[in-house]
Amino acid sequence: MMEKAQEFRALPNPTDADLLHSEVDIKGANSAVEPQNTYDGDEDQLARLGKKQVLKRSFGFWSTLGFSCALLITWEGQLSVFTTGLSNGGPAGLIYGFIIVWIGTLCVFTTLSELASMAPTAGGQYHWVAMLAPKSSQKILSYITGWLTVLGWQAQIASASYLTGTTIQGVVILTCPSYDPQRWHGTLLAWAVVICGLGINTLVSSILAKIETLILILHIVAFVAILIPLVFLGPHSSPQEVFTVFTNAGGWPTQGLSFFVGLVGPVFAFLGTDGAIHISEEVRNAAIIVPRSMILSVLINGTLGFGMLLAMVFCLGNIDTISSTPPTQYPFMAVFAQAVGSNSGGAGMVAVIIFMYVCATTTSLASSSRMTWSFARDRGLPFSEHLSRINRRTSLPLYPIFLTAVFTCLLALINIGSSVAFNDVISLTVGGLYSSYLICCTLLLWRRCTGGIGGSSQDTAQKTGLHWGPFRIPGVLGIAVNIVACAFVIIVIFFSFWPPATPTTAESMNYSVLVFGGIILFSIAYYLTIAHRTYLGPLTEVEVR
């Protein structure tokens, strides 16, 4: 592997002739493996980014869309954070907040889709930052972005497994009144979910793409299966009670401030859209399929999520019953049981949600491990030599997969000591991932406005080596989308560090800002002491002549 930073060359939507006649000089990494079922166009496109094809391209459009939808599971995920917006915003705040978050998320991932189309690599954010940033800050910004993305995804799978395990625990509470819930029970259940995901990602990885397609179908069918009994059997509120009632149970000085604090719930429900980016090197025709699947998944999940949200606020029923839900149980379970008039019936509905949570955890493990592998491939992590290896038999990054599973299980131990502390750790998902989005969106906006990308100013584009991919939003509309994306991400990051209520005590304080700040300081310190000698930006494995 060449020990130098990549000179980022153009990615000018090559024609078929270009792809057939491009001359590729393979330098080859020690861990490189010749994959099966590769595609010349994708390989040459990846070669233009300096990377060698080492993973099997088994994902098509539908499986990639299923992968992205399985990560978002917006309508399922928002059920677990339903009370966050109900306390800070109320029924009306939930609805209007969801719409704002949906639009903002669509702008963010439209922007990231433009970048994914320009450079479809598993590294995603940190690779794009290295492409877009000025040379003077290219390495350090790319390095920090890589750390934020890696740790954000590690926190994502920790939160997914914890959410699944504690939801299973909640069903036991619902159906067995004599059960005495303990925090370590939830941790063990989270471990079981991680082990299940580990088995699917290693033992049956060859059919993972087919599984993701099936999950897409189940995602939509399950929505209908839950919506029908909830709407037809549950109590109904009036439109005035739903669309005009705001609440401020958090005790904030103004209703507007309470509303913004409550936005964190819908934001959490949309997390994971960039997961498709990190399997780009396993997707056929990635420059087109990955952007299309991300945008379509936001539209599909937003539509389903909004429909489920309306059903929940209209069928909320007795607020006192919901409010009396045990702290160890999710209130949406009480809503289900109240709607069908039976705890066992409600448990059956929750079982569908749990299955989708398991699917999301499995998919999160795949995405997180690919991001870890990619950053290690470019020498961004400790023990990169081992983490960047590809298993010759399976063409999988097995070390990152196992490391992610082990790290998730270790994080789950924190819950035994303090569920509050664990929640602060997993809130790094929002802070870490959205910070990486902000850096990418800001740099793209800067390049766009200064004419640094091919198609807007050819002279400047020749100097920077940046060209638009097959997908882009042209002209003023593209600039407007980028601006909205940057503004939305700033708001999300700011309010993700706020506690849910005031006055704040030592127990209710949101310490995630300390975790986030500690990660930033650690990455900078590690870069200045060690990584500045090993991390040179995305390395060149392949040269195109």
Side-chain angles (χ1 to χ4, degrees):
M1 184 177 293
M2 300 179 63
E3 295 295 340
K4 66 177 183 178
Q6 175 174 337
E7 294 294 330
F8 293 103
R9 288 173 288 275
L11 193 63
N13 302 331
T15 63
D16 292 339
D18 293 333
L19 296 179
L20 289 172
H21 296 98
S22 60
E23 184 179 357
V24 180
D25 178 23
I26 304 294
K27 296 295 183 184
N30 292 332
S31 61
V33 180
E34 289 295 339
Q36 301 174 3
N37 301 328
T38 56
Y39 294 80
D40 292 340
D42 288 304
E43 280 195 47
D44 287 346
Q45 188 175 54
L46 193 60
R48 283 177 166 80
L49 298 169
K51 297 300 178 184
K52 184 181 178 181
Q53 182 72 52
V54 296
L55 301 175
K56 295 179 182 178
R57 291 190 180 267
S58 57
F59 283 82
F61 170 71
W62 290 109
S63 53
T64 307
L65 178 61
F67 189 95
S68 189
C69 285
L71 280 169
L72 264 72
I73 57 167
T74 300
W75 74 262
E76 302 97 328
Q78 74 171 348
L79 294 173
S80 65
V81 293
F82 179 74
T83 52
T84 301
L86 193 62
S87 299
N88 291 297
L94 274 169
I95 292 174
Y96 303 131
F98 185 94
I99 294 174
I100 291 174
V101 170
W102 188 8
I103 295 173
T105 301
L106 185 59
C107 290
V108 170
F109 286 101
T110 298
T111 300
L112 295 186
S113 292
E114 293 181 304
L115 291 168
S117 185
M118 291 170 62
T121 71
Q125 291 95 307
Y126 81 87
H127 197 120
W128 303 334
V129 169
M131 291 170 54
L132 298 170
K135 288 187 177 181
S136 59
S137 57
Q138 190 177 77
K139 285 173 55 179
I140 183 65
L141 282 179
S142 173
Y143 184 77
I144 292 175
T145 303
W147 267 93
L148 288 172
T149 310
V150 167
L151 292 170
W153 269 102
Q154 293 292 338
Q156 164 81 356
I157 186 175
S159 62
S161 60
Y162 172 77
L163 176 63
T164 310
T166 52
T167 303
I168 296 172
Q169 192 177 22
V171 172
V172 178
I173 297 171
L174 182 66
T175 56
C176 184
S178 61
Y179 169 62
D180 181 22
Q182 302 293 328
R183 284 198 293 266
W184 62 271
H185 296 171
T187 296
L188 289 180
L189 289 169
W191 284 8
V193 173
V194 172
I195 292 172
C196 176
L198 180 63
I200 294 175
N201 274 276
T202 53
L203 300 179
V204 294
S205 60
S206 59
I207 60 171
L208 182 60
K210 296 179 180 178
I211 293 175
E212 298 297 345
T213 304
L214 178 61
I215 292 174
L216 174 62
I217 298 172
L218 295 175
H219 176 58
I220 298 174
V221 172
F223 169 78
V224 177
I226 297 298
L227 188 70
I228 291 176
L230 181 62
V231 171
F232 281 92
L233 300 178
H236 293 168
S237 301
S238 67
Q240 184 177 3
E241 293 175 305
V242 171
F243 293 104
T244 63
V245 175
F246 292 86
T247 60
N248 182 7
W252 299 103
T254 65
Q255 182 62 58
L257 185 58
S258 176
F259 173 82
F260 278 102
V261 172
L263 286 181
V264 177
V267 167
F268 180 82
F270 276 104
L271 279 177
T273 310
D274 65 307
I277 294 169
H278 305 304
I279 61 163
S280 292
E281 295 177 36
E282 298 168 69
V283 177
R284 300 185 293 270
N285 198 13
I288 295 175
I289 297 302
V290 171
R292 186 179 297 172
S293 65
M294 284 199 298
I295 293 175
L296 191 55
S297 67
V298 173
L299 293 174
I300 291 174
N301 278 271
T303 302
L304 299 181
F306 190 64
M308 183 57 66
L309 177 62
L310 288 176
M312 286 291 290
V313 293
F314 268 103
C315 303
L316 194 58
N318 191 333
I319 298 292
D320 294 333
T321 301
I322 307 305
S323 302
S324 62
T325 302
T328 50
Q329 186 185 35
Y330 292 100
F332 78 87
M333 299 181 184
V335 176
F336 286 179
Q338 181 179 257
V340 298
S342 166
N343 285 345
S344 58
M349 295 171 69
V350 177
V352 176
I353 306 298
I354 291 173
F355 179 80
M356 297 308 302
Y357 285 172
V358 173
C359 294
T361 305
T362 302
T363 307
S364 294
L365 179 58
S367 184
S368 177
S369 61
R370 269 51 165 194
M371 177 61 211
T372 302
W373 164 75
S374 181
F375 200 40
R377 174 178 59 176
D378 290 320
R379 305 296 184 260
L381 294 172
F383 310 108
S384 289
E385 181 180 352
H386 300 287
L387 293 175
S388 61
R389 290 179 181 174
I390 297 294
N391 182 271
R392 292 184 178 275
R393 185 176 63 85
T394 62
S395 294
L396 288 174
L398 291 182
Y399 285 139
I401 292 175
F402 282 103
L403 175 65
T404 299
V406 171
F407 188 71
T408 300
C409 290
L410 292 177
L411 282 179
L413 290 173
I414 299 175
N415 177 59
I416 298 177
S418 171
S419 59
V420 174
F422 184 77
N423 288 333
D424 291 340
V425 170
I426 63 178
S427 66
L428 180 65
T429 306
V430 176
L433 292 180
Y434 269 78
S435 294
S436 72
Y437 303 161
L438 178 61
I439 297 172
C440 294
C441 292
T442 302
L443 288 173
L444 180 61
L445 179 62
W446 169 62
R447 287 290 190 182
R448 185 175 223 141
C449 292
T450 56
I453 305 178
S456 54
S457 174
Q458 292 298 333
D459 293 337
T460 306
Q462 289 176 3
K463 295 178 182 178
T464 61
L466 298 173
H467 290 262
W468 292 110
F471 174 82
R472 65 171 291 198
I473 305 297
V476 177
L477 180 59
I479 294 176
V481 168
N482 293 165
I483 291 174
V484 172
C486 291
F488 173 72
V489 170
I490 290 172
I491 293 172
V492 169
I493 294 173
F494 179 70
F495 283 101
S496 68
F497 298 130
W498 284 53
T502 185
T504 304
T505 64
E507 292 184 356
S508 63
M509 177 64 183
N510 187 345
Y511 294 100
S512 60
V513 66
L514 295 179
V515 179
F516 179 80
I519 295 301
I520 295 292
L521 292 176
F522 175 81
S523 64
I524 294 175
Y526 186 78
Y527 177 82
L528 294 176
T529 56
I530 298 176
H532 72 280
R533 296 189 296 269
T534 59
Y535 183 76
L536 305 173
L539 298 175
T540 300
E541 299 173 336
V542 177
E543 287 192 352
V544 180
R545 296 200 297 266

